[in-house]
C-alpha cells in the first residue's frame, strides 16, 4: 500500500522583549535557576498580570509579515493542566480569539518548486518553567524545577497540515525561523530554546481524504532533529498499521542518541484543557494607529529582496537565496555592491571566501573581521588590476587575520600584480629558453605542456604575474620559431 504523510507544525518563538509577558521579571538567558521568576510568574495569591505591550507589537509585526489578519480584538484564556513546571496549574494563552489569524508562507522545495503552506493562527502565550534532571554528589539522580522561563513571552505559530515530507517540514521551519529573525521579533536561538518546534505527524493511504491518527513530537530544537524525528515517526506509524495495530494519539519525544521517538503521555483534546477567558486580563483591543506604528519600520521582506536581487543585480536563484538567508548578510552584500557596482563579483566573494571563513570560524556575519567596506576595497583592487583573483584570496586571508585593509596588506606583503610587459616578456623568454624539450613537445601538438609553462611563470613570479598577460605572451613566444 502507498502511504501519504501529513505534517503540521506548531512553532514556539520566544519574543525579543526585555521583560516577561505579564510581569517585569527579566527574560535574559543563563541566569541561576529561579532568580528571574517573580510572584506574578508563579501566580501567587493577590497578584495580577499586566500585559507587556512590546509582546503585542512584535506579534502584530509577524501577522503583517505573513499577510495575515491582525485581530482588532483578541482574548487571553486559561489553559488548565497539571505539570510540575507550571505552579499555577494553568497557562495563560489564547485559544478562540488569537491575535493573528490565517496567513500563508511560501517555501522553496529541493527541486526548485514553490509550495504555499497555510498558517492557521499565531497566538500569544506565556512559557512554562523547565525540569532539570541532574546527578547529586552521591551519584544518585534528582529532578529540580527552574522557573526562570515561566512567563517568558511566546508566539505560537500553528500551521495547516499542508506538508507531505520531512523535507517540506524543515523548509517551512527554516522559513519561519528566517522570518522571525529578519523582522526582529526573536533571536531564534534554538540552543537556548528561543525557537522550538512541535511536529504533528500522521499517515493515510494515498487517495484517502480523512486524516489518520496523529502523534505530536515535542520540543525539537534543530532542523536536523525535525527531519530525522518525522522520518522515524512516519516509518513507525506505517509499521504499526501494516502490522495490524492502530496508531495511538499521544505526545512523543525524540531521542537523538537512539534516533527514535518514544511515548511521553497520551495526547489531550482541546476540550480537556477547559479553556476559559482569563478573568484577570481584559480583552486586547488594537486601534489602527497601534498597528500602523508597529509595522512602520518593517523591513523589505526576504522573498521580495530575493526577487529584487534576481532582477536588479542579475543574480541566479541560488545566489539570491543564499544572500537573503539572513537580513544582516543581505545588507552586507548590498553595501559591497553599492561601493563597487559589481554585483556578480560581490556575490561570488560573499558566498565564497567570506561564507567559508564565517563557517570555519563559526561566527555570524555581524562578527566578521572583514567589513563590507574592506571587502569592497579588495574588489576595487581586483577591478583595477592591482591583484589577480588568486592573490586577492591571500589578501582576504590577511584581512581576516587582522592585518588591515586591502591596500595595507598588498603594500606590506608586496602582493601587487606584475603587469609590466617588458618584465614579463624577459621572465617568460628565460623560462622558454631553459626548457627546449617542452617547447618541442608543445610545437608538436602536445597542448597540455602549455600549463607547464604557466606554472613555471607563476612559480618564478611568486604568483604575482598577471595571468592574462602571461597567457598572451606565452602563446606568442611558443608559436614563433
Amino acid at each position: 500500500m502507498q502511504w501519504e504523510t501529513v505534517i503540521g507544525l506548531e512553532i514556539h518563538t520566544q519574543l525579543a522583549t526585555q521583560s516577561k509577558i505579564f510581569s517585569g521579571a527579566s527574560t535574559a538567558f543563563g541566569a541561576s535557576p529561579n532568580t528571574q521568576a517573580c510572584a506574578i510568574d508563579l501566580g501567587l495569591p493577590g497578584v495580577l498580570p499586566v500585559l507587556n505591550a512590546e509582546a503585542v507589537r512584535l506579534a502584530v509585526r509577524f501577522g503583517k509579515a505573513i499577510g495575515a489578519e491582525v485581530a482588532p480584538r483578541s482574548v487571553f484564556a486559561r489553559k488548565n493542566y497539571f505539570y510540575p513546571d507550571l505552579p499555577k496549574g494553568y497557562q495563560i494563552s489564547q485559544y478562540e480569539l488569537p491575535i493573528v489569524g490565517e496567513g500563508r508562507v511560501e517555501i522553496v522545495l529541493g527541486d526548485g518548486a514553490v509550495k504555499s503552506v497555510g498558517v492557521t493562527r499565531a497566538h500569544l502565550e506565556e512559557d512554562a518553567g523547565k525540569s532539570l534532571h541532574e546527578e547529586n554528589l552521591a551519584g544518585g539522580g534528582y529532578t529540580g524545577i527552574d522557573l526562570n522561563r515561566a512567563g517568558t513571552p511566546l508566539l505560537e505559530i500553528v500551521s495547516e497540515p499542508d506538508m507531505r515530507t520531512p523535507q517540506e517540514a524543515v523548509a517551512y521551519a527554516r522559513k519561519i525561523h528566517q522570518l522571525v529573525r529578519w523582522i526582529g521579533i526573536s533571536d531564534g536561538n534554538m540552543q537556548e530554546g528561543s525557537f522550538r518546534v512541535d511536529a504533528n505527524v500522521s499517515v493515510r493511504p494515498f487517495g484517502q481524504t480523512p486524516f489518520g491518527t496523529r502523534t505530536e513530537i515535542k520540543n525539537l530544537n534543530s532542523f536536523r532533529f525535525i527531519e530525522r524525528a518525522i522520518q522515524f515517526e512516519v516509518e513507525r506509524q506505517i509499521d504499526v498499521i501494516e502490522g495490524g495495530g492502530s496508531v495511538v494519539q499521544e505526545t512523543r519525544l525524540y531521542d537523538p542518541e537512539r534516533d527514535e521517538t518514544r511515548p511521553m503521555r497520551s495526547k489531550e483534546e482541546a476540550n480537556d484543557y477547559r479553556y476559559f477567558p482569563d478573568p484577570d486580563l481584559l480583552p486586547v483591543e488594537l486601534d489602527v494607529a497601534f498597528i500602523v506604528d508597529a509595522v512602520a519600520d518593517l523591513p523589505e521582506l526576504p522573498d521580495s529582496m530575493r526577487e529584487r536581487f534576481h532582477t536588479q543585480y542579475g543574480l541566479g536563484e541560488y545566489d539570491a537565496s543564499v544572500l537573503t538567508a539572513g537580513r544582516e548578510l543581505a545588507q552586507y552584500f548590498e553595501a559591497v555592491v553599492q561601493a563597487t557596482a559589481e554585483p556578480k563579483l560581490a556575490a561570488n566573494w560573499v558566498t565564497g571566501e567570506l561564507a567559508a571563513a564565517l563557517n570555519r570560524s563559526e561566527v555570524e556575519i555581524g562578527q566578521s573581521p572583514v567589513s563590507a567596506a574592506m571587502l569592497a576595497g579588495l574588489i576595487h583592487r581586483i577591478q583595477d588590476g592591482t591583484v589577480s583573483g588568486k592573490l586577492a584570496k591571500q589578501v582576504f586571508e590577511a584581512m581576516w587575520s587582522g592585518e588591515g585593509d586591502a591596500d595595507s596588506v598588498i603594500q606590506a606583503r608586496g602582493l601587487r600584480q606584475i603587469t609590466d610587459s617588458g618584465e614579463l616578456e624577459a621572465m617568460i623568454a628565460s623560462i622558454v629558453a631553459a626548457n627546449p624539450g617542452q617547447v618541442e613537445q608543445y610545437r608538436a601538438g602536445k597542448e597540455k605542456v602549455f600549463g607547464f609553462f604557466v606554472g613555471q611563470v607563476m612559480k618564478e613570479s611568486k604568483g604575482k604575474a598577471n595571468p592574462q598577460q602571461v597567457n598572451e605572451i606565452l602563446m606568442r613566444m611558443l608559436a614563433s620559431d
Side-chain angles (χ1 to χ4, degrees):
M1 180 178 290
Q2 294 292 310
W3 296 92
E4 182 181 46
T5 301
V6 178
I7 306 165
L9 299 186
E10 300 172 8
I11 298 177
H12 296 81
T13 302
Q14 180 177 331
L15 296 173
T17 61
Q18 298 297 310
S19 58
K20 296 185 178 178
I21 188 168
F22 300 120
S23 79
S26 173
T27 58
F29 178 81
S32 298
N34 298 313
T35 58
Q36 294 182 170
C38 70
I40 294 174
D41 304 326
L42 305 181
L44 297 184
V47 300
L48 289 174
V50 177
L51 179 60
N52 185 337
E54 179 65 4
V56 177
R57 190 183 74 85
L58 298 179
V60 170
R61 287 170 72 84
F62 177 79
K64 289 297 184 183
I66 63 167
E69 178 186 358
V70 174
R73 184 177 187 275
S74 61
V75 172
F76 281 100
R78 290 188 179 181
K79 180 181 181 181
N80 298 279
Y81 66 96
F82 171 78
Y83 216 66
D85 56 16
L86 188 67
K88 289 186 296 192
Y90 63 86
Q91 178 188 27
I92 302 177
S93 182
Q94 294 184 313
Y95 180 53
E96 292 181 320
L97 295 174
I99 189 168
V100 175
E102 294 181 358
R104 301 205 73 80
V105 170
E106 289 189 344
I107 60 174
V108 179
L109 306 181
D111 60 0
V114 176
K115 178 171 183 171
S116 179
V117 177
V119 174
T120 311
R121 68 179 190 276
H123 59 260
L124 286 164
E125 66 181 21
E126 62 178 350
D127 205 351
K130 183 179 182 181
S131 297
L132 301 174
H133 308 289
E134 308 281 355
E135 288 188 3
N136 58 30
L137 295 177
Y142 70 95
T143 296
I145 303 296
D146 179 8
L147 295 170
N148 281 350
R149 289 196 66 86
T152 297
L154 300 178
L155 186 67
E156 182 174 338
I157 304 161
V158 183
S159 83
E160 291 290 306
D162 288 345
M163 291 153 277
R164 294 292 176 268
T165 67
Q167 293 73 31
E168 288 184 10
V170 170
Y172 170 78
R174 285 187 181 277
K175 187 60 176 288
I176 296 294
H177 187 256
Q178 174 198 39
L179 188 59
V180 298
R181 294 182 50 163
W182 191 283
I183 63 176
I185 69 169
S186 174
D187 64 16
N189 191 317
M190 300 180 81
Q191 286 71 39
E192 295 179 0
S194 298
F195 192 88
R196 314 190 300 267
V197 176
D198 299 343
N200 290 289
V201 181
S202 64
V203 297
R204 62 183 175 186
F206 266 107
Q208 175 180 300
T209 301
F211 294 134
T213 302
R214 65 184 168 89
T215 59
E216 182 183 44
I217 312 170
K218 296 289 286 184
N219 290 331
L220 299 166
N221 64 352
S222 87
F223 298 116
R224 186 166 59 94
F225 290 172
I226 293 171
E227 181 171 355
R228 293 174 65 172
I230 293 175
Q231 187 62 50
F232 177 89
E233 184 59 18
V234 169
E235 293 171 3
R236 186 193 71 84
Q237 290 187 16
I238 291 173
D239 286 345
V240 169
I241 297 171
E242 292 186 341
S246 300
V247 175
V248 177
Q249 181 170 309
E250 60 188 359
T251 299
R252 301 177 70 87
L253 62 80
Y254 174 66
D255 184 339
E257 294 185 1
R258 296 184 177 182
D259 192 23
E260 64 179 21
T261 67
R262 57 174 183 265
M264 289 177 65
R265 57 180 183 267
S266 60
K267 176 66 180 172
E268 302 87 351
E269 298 287 354
N271 56 15
D272 292 327
Y273 291 117
R274 300 179 183 276
Y275 284 96
F276 65 87
D278 192 304
D280 290 339
L281 288 162
L282 292 170
V284 181
E285 296 190 349
L286 304 179
D287 58 27
V288 174
F290 182 91
I291 295 174
V292 169
D293 183 65
V295 299
D297 62 345
L298 207 57
E300 181 182 13
L301 297 177
D303 285 354
S304 172
M305 186 174 281
R306 187 184 71 245
E307 182 60 26
R308 181 168 63 78
F309 281 9
H310 179 60
T311 57
Q312 181 177 345
Y313 299 136
L315 301 182
E317 186 62 35
Y318 175 78
D319 282 346
S321 296
V322 170
L323 291 168
T324 54
R327 188 177 166 199
E328 282 190 307
L329 183 66
Q331 291 174 327
Y332 184 105
F333 165 72
E334 286 225 280
V336 177
V337 172
Q338 288 169 7
T340 62
E342 286 281 356
K344 185 56 182 171
L345 191 54
N348 289 343
W349 275 92
V350 173
T351 61
E353 295 300 313
L354 178 67
L358 292 171
N359 287 335
R360 281 197 303 272
S361 302
E362 298 183 344
V363 297
E364 299 286 338
I365 185 67
Q367 302 166 297
S368 170
V370 177
S371 67
M374 292 170 70
L375 183 57
L378 176 57
I379 291 176
H380 278 309
R381 293 298 164 255
I382 299 172
Q383 289 173 307
D384 65 16
T386 302
V387 293
S388 64
K390 186 175 182 180
L391 289 176
K393 292 182 180 180
Q394 294 183 40
V395 177
F396 179 86
E397 291 298 326
M399 292 197 301
W400 187 269
S401 300
E403 295 184 27
D405 61 18
D407 287 342
S408 301
V409 172
I410 293 169
Q411 179 68 28
R413 292 195 172 197
L415 294 176
R416 188 173 294 276
Q417 190 171 224
I418 301 173
T419 57
D420 182 278
S421 298
E423 183 179 354
L424 288 174
E425 286 180 350
M427 183 188 303
I428 292 171
S430 174
I431 291 171
V432 169
N435 295 279
Q438 283 77 6
V439 172
E440 187 176 340
Q441 291 176 20
Y442 178 78
R443 289 174 178 167
K446 196 172 181 180
E447 296 183 354
K448 288 184 178 178
V449 178
F450 190 85
F452 163 78
F453 286 104
V454 172
Q456 292 300 305
V457 176
M458 289 302 171
K459 181 180 178 182
E460 180 68 19
S461 67
K462 296 184 173 57
K464 293 188 284 186
N466 181 291
Q468 185 176 350
Q469 289 178 273
V470 169
N471 285 343
E472 292 172 356
I473 297 170
L474 262 176
M475 291 184 72
R476 174 160 46 83
M477 288 189 175
L478 291 174
S480 60
D481 291 329

